Amino acid sequence: MSASCQHLFAVSDYDLAATLSSGQAFRWRECFPLPSTGRGTEGEGWSYPAHNIAKTRQPHLPLPKGEGRGEGEGSVILPATPTPTPWEGIVSGHWVQLRHAPNGIEARCAVAQTDWQWLADYLQTDVRLDEVLNSFPNDEPLTRAVTACRGLRLLRQPPWECLASFILSSTKQIVQIQQIVGLVCERFGDSVRVPSSHGPVFSFPDAERLAECSEAELRACKMGFRARYLKGSAEMIARGEVDLERLRSMSCEEARAALLTLPGVGRKIADCVLLFAYGFQEAFPVDVWVMRALRQLYFPRRKVAPRRLLKFTATYFGPNAGYAQQYLFHYMRVHERRR
DNA sequence: AACCAGGACACAA
DNA sequence: TTGTGTCATGGT
């Protein structure tokens, strides 16, 4: 196998825009083409918008067969943008650019790779989305969410970056989390190899590095009261009191219990890490948006105690509840903006 | 200009 | 067990 800077992942039914902007990872940016006036200055003619919440619908390729949950007529294949906009991010120290291609997803790295499995794992390109979606309960809210967000996937992220990011997420909007995480990487991360004439990019700093930061240094990244939590968790992990790699061999409940010993990690953040980093697909993080979805889509005009709603989520959505959760979250946030 | 954001935690009652 | 105040900061 020869080394190359580019690779094609043969996968269908994958919506990059929805997946990378749906609040599970915080370092992806959509690259909008510059007006092409004059020569590109930096970044090879791509610029970063200040904020983007995926209003663009990337074309999802149709399913090969079996389609599942037929929603009346054949799904609309939008021509959308003739050339799908690429996305840029950093995956365990690699600068990565992704874009839709005719036969799947095309990836580009700054450094030639011989083995792309690490990226396949991250993107979860081997997951059969139709099987996941068919395991959902056949109800109206999920049918609407799946119809609107088809191609939305779950990533499989490195545990520490995922954990630290979600410690920083509490009562923050996604655009702010992106900003805070960006500052943390810029200030404390290591420089990452990028294509020539591309702006500087930094890795997510490991727990040891953040543990040796002062709380004031962390607060300077605009994270406020979360600084103490992040430092405390980084210290416990640096000291080996919690071994994030060892959680992989645990049951979901054992891993959750371990995460809950970390400062700043409660049920919701623990479930985010269980789902987005360890792949426990029964984990069902409930934030304000998902709570809103449960109340107004499943129990409209009824006062149901939060405790009871949690009990509901634990049993109702099945073995891939975490995927259902992500569809409800993204659907509420993007397609049901009202409050 | 209020209100809210992918919450956790200490402390009531 | 369930309810309230507090913690920072910036978007909408």
Side-chain angles (χ1 to χ4, degrees):
Chain A
M1 184 179 269
S2 58
S4 170
C5 285
Q6 293 196 39
H7 185 76
L8 177 69
F9 292 100
V11 61
S12 62
D13 218 20
Y14 201 123
D15 186 337
L16 277 180
T19 301
L20 301 179
S21 76
S22 65
Q24 35 180 334
F26 302 98
R27 303 205 62 197
W28 291 98
R29 302 288 186 274
E30 191 171 12
C31 311
F32 291 105
L34 290 171
S36 82
T37 62
R39 29 186 289 272
T41 51
E42 304 265 351
E44 315 183 349
W46 303 105
S47 68
Y48 297 95
H51 41 65
N52 46 26
I53 300 197
K55 297 197 69 176
T56 58
R57 300 293 302 163
Q58 299 287 351
H60 351 140
L61 311 172
L63 270 179
K65 60 193 299 181
E67 215 262 344
R69 50 187 324 113
E71 16 119 358
E73 46 110 282
S75 52
V76 198
I77 302 170
L78 303 167
T81 49
T83 48
T85 41
W87 289 75
E88 282 188 19
I90 300 92
V91 179
S92 20
H94 304 274
W95 176 89
V96 177
Q97 185 181 70
L98 301 172
R99 73 201 310 169
H100 282 285
N103 296 316
I105 294 173
E106 187 182 86
R108 193 158 75 90
C109 281
V111 178
Q113 306 289 314
T114 56
D115 187 354
W116 292 82
Q117 189 56 41
W118 56 275
L119 190 49
D121 287 338
Y122 179 90
L123 294 172
Q124 293 285 285
T125 49
D126 292 334
V127 168
R128 288 290 308 254
L129 189 61
D130 54 336
E131 293 176 1
V132 171
L133 301 184
N134 279 323
S135 76
F136 288 179
N138 194 358
D139 61 30
E140 205 244 336
L142 272 176
T143 301
R144 285 217 307 258
V146 167
T147 302
C149 310
R150 176 119 212 174
L152 173 62
R153 301 268 189 150
L154 288 182
L155 302 169
R156 183 77 54 94
Q157 303 175 53
W160 167 244
E161 176 174 348
C162 183
L163 169 62
S165 297
F166 277 98
I167 287 175
L168 297 175
S169 77
S170 71
T171 40
K172 276 296 184 190
Q173 298 183 154
I174 288 176
V175 283
Q176 297 183 45
I177 303 168
Q178 291 173 333
Q179 186 195 5
I180 296 168
V181 169
L183 286 171
V184 168
C185 294
E186 200 174 297
R187 289 189 53 96
F188 308 117
D190 295 321
S191 185
V192 159
R193 188 72 128 180
V194 293
S196 57
S197 80
H198 190 287
V201 169
F202 299 91
S203 66
F204 193 93
D206 58 28
E208 290 73 16
R209 178 69 185 93
L210 291 186
E212 66 189 23
C213 291
S214 69
E215 189 179 321
E217 285 179 303
L218 295 177
R219 275 180 185 263
C221 299
K222 305 175 186 284
M223 64 181 77
F225 62 83
R226 302 154 196 84
R228 195 158 46 89
Y229 295 150
L230 181 60
K231 182 170 172 56
S233 287
E235 285 172 343
M236 284 184 65
I237 287 161
R239 286 194 296 256
E241 296 172 31
V242 171
D243 182 351
L244 292 180
E245 282 309 312
R246 211 167 65 82
L247 299 204
R248 295 185 192 278
S249 61
M250 296 183 184
S251 69
C252 185
E253 292 73 19
E254 291 172 326
R256 179 183 289 121
L259 290 171
L260 287 175
T261 66
L262 296 165
V265 179
R267 173 62 187 247
K268 189 270 172 181
I269 289 177
D271 278 358
C272 283
V273 178
L274 292 171
L275 183 62
F276 301 142
Y278 293 99
F280 289 109
Q281 293 177 13
E282 65 267 45
F284 196 100
V286 177
D287 74 323
V288 293
W289 288 100
V290 174
M291 186 62 79
R292 203 169 287 153
L294 294 173
R295 289 196 189 287
Q296 86 187 43
L297 299 181
Y298 285 93
F299 303 96
R301 286 298 159 194
R302 267 201 280 172
K303 39 169 186 164
V304 186
R307 188 75 187 86
R308 207 177 135 63
L309 286 173
L310 280 220
K311 184 76 78 180
F312 173 72
T313 65
T315 57
Y316 177 73
F317 292 100
N320 297 302
Y323 269 90
Q325 173 276 152
Q326 196 65 11
Y327 273 85
L328 292 174
F329 174 77
H330 196 246
Y331 176 72
M332 290 301 284
R333 234 170 57 82
V334 177
H335 301 273
E336 200 81 6
R337 219 66 178 96
R338 60 188 162 83
R339 30 189 95 168

